[in-house]
Amino acid sequence: MNWVSPIKDPECLEYFLDELRAMDVKYYILFQIGVGTGMLLQDILKLKVLDVKGQDFLEVFIGSKKIRRVFQFPQGLKKELEDFTADRNQGEPLFLGYQNSGSPLSREQVYRVFRKAGKTVGLPDIGAQTMRKTFAWNYYKDTGDIAYIQKLLSHASSSITYQYIGDSLKNGEREEPIESRELNSSLRKDGNGRHRIEKLKHFLNNVERNLDNPEKGEEYFEAAEYLISRMESLAAEFKKKSRKRSNKK
């Protein structure tokens, strides 16, 4: 399974957007909103027509910290939205599934379309996270502010954010957690650390069992791939830091 990547090259991004528009303009609009806001796919699919109809911008609150972001619609996208929402009910889902179904578009269908468009234009590493990763990459490229992206995406450390956007810590840059805590006492108190590890083991056992479940969609396996890759990376970092601290004693 391929690692899902941001689309870093502006020309490749344009090719991909053109392909989405050719397939169905709603996928083009959806991707533009994702790259412009940093919203998760499931949150984009909850948008209503009234959220964008006649508007110049979209105001959203991202992540567990509910960080406010305002996406000013580019002129071209604004025109697409005007045509897309014309004569539509204000309260209906912005992105409908089958025509006249009244139901919102499914994540699985979006994933399939993104993958198909990606393969058509030579971008095989496309998935449900591509919009958010592309947003994060563009913001970092324009501002250099990895701390903001780390906070927005609720990542535990900047190294996770760098890996998320396909980059790495810069020379001389220190990895900083979002918050400093008394981890030693916290993990030991009332068996807190052991309890959390047991919960993780139970969760991972469920993930392992579902890897053989043919009913799980591609989006599930993409998420599982990301989870496993991140855990492998974090385990390697933990071993490295543990060895360093042992050598200092």
Side-chain angles (χ1 to χ4, degrees):
M1 184 173 294
N2 292 323
W3 175 262
V4 176
S5 303
I7 303 176
K8 296 184 177 182
D9 184 271
E11 188 173 359
C12 288
L13 180 58
E14 283 302 314
Y15 287 147
F16 181 71
L17 287 169
D18 287 344
E19 182 62 24
L20 288 180
R21 186 194 279 109
M23 295 174 75
D24 192 320
V25 71
K26 67 185 175 188
Y27 297 108
Y28 166 83
I29 293 172
L30 189 154
F31 198 89
Q32 285 275 53
I33 288 175
V35 172
T37 62
M39 294 173 73
L40 289 167
L41 174 58
Q42 58 261 37
D43 293 328
I44 296 174
L45 295 177
K46 294 176 184 176
L47 291 173
K48 304 292 186 184
V49 171
L50 60 85
D51 293 318
V52 301
K53 189 171 185 177
Q55 304 294 327
D56 295 322
F57 61 87
L58 176 63
E59 180 183 32
V60 296
F61 295 87
I62 305 294
S64 59
K65 297 183 181 297
K66 301 298 181 186
I67 298 174
R68 178 179 178 269
R69 285 197 56 79
V70 175
F71 174 43
Q72 195 78 29
F73 297 136
Q75 196 58 41
L77 179 58
K78 185 178 177 182
K79 179 62 170 62
E80 296 277 11
L81 283 167
E82 288 174 358
D83 295 340
F84 187 61
T85 58
D87 302 320
R88 289 182 59 186
N89 189 309
Q90 294 266 33
E92 73 181 39
L94 179 60
F95 300 106
L96 290 170
Y98 295 107
Q99 191 172 12
N100 301 322
S101 68
S103 299
L105 190 63
S106 71
R107 290 188 296 174
E108 291 75 19
Q109 176 62 10
V110 174
Y111 176 82
R112 285 192 290 268
V113 170
F114 282 3
R115 293 286 289 177
K116 183 177 180 181
K119 289 178 181 178
T120 300
V121 299
L123 296 172
D125 300 336
I126 297 293
Q129 285 281 335
T130 300
M131 291 183 297
R132 212 176 199 208
K133 288 190 175 187
T134 303
F135 158 79
W137 165 255
N138 286 340
Y139 187 92
Y140 173 66
K141 179 187 66 176
D142 292 341
T143 67
D145 190 352
I146 198 68
Y148 176 81
I149 297 297
Q150 177 189 343
K151 184 178 180 182
L152 188 75
L153 303 183
S154 299
H155 288 166
S157 67
S158 57
S159 65
I160 293 175
T161 308
Y162 276 121
Q163 183 171 14
Y164 185 80
I165 63 174
D167 208 4
S168 58
L169 284 167
K170 306 307 177 189
N171 290 335
E173 186 174 16
R174 294 182 59 190
E175 178 181 332
E176 297 292 345
I178 292 178
E179 299 174 352
S180 60
R181 295 178 292 176
E182 296 295 331
L183 293 177
N184 193 354
S185 59
S186 172
L187 289 174
R188 291 183 177 185
K189 185 177 180 181
D190 299 325
N192 178 45
R194 290 179 181 274
H195 177 65
R196 287 164 62 188
I197 289 173
E198 285 301 320
K199 287 177 68 176
L200 280 171
K201 287 163 65 176
H202 177 71
F203 169 73
L204 290 172
N205 284 336
N206 285 333
V207 173
E208 183 182 15
R209 283 193 293 270
N210 279 315
L211 291 179
D212 296 321
N213 185 350
E215 295 182 359
K216 292 293 183 181
E218 284 296 323
E219 195 172 40
Y220 176 85
F221 292 106
E222 179 187 324
E225 166 67 17
Y226 178 73
L227 171 68
I228 294 167
S229 297
R230 285 301 309 133
M231 292 192 70
E232 288 173 339
S233 176
L234 289 170
E237 288 180 29
F238 176 78
K239 290 178 182 178
K240 184 177 179 181
K241 290 180 179 179
S242 296
R243 283 196 297 268
K244 284 183 178 179
R245 286 170 183 162
S246 297
N247 292 336
K248 288 180 180 179
K249 293 181 180 179

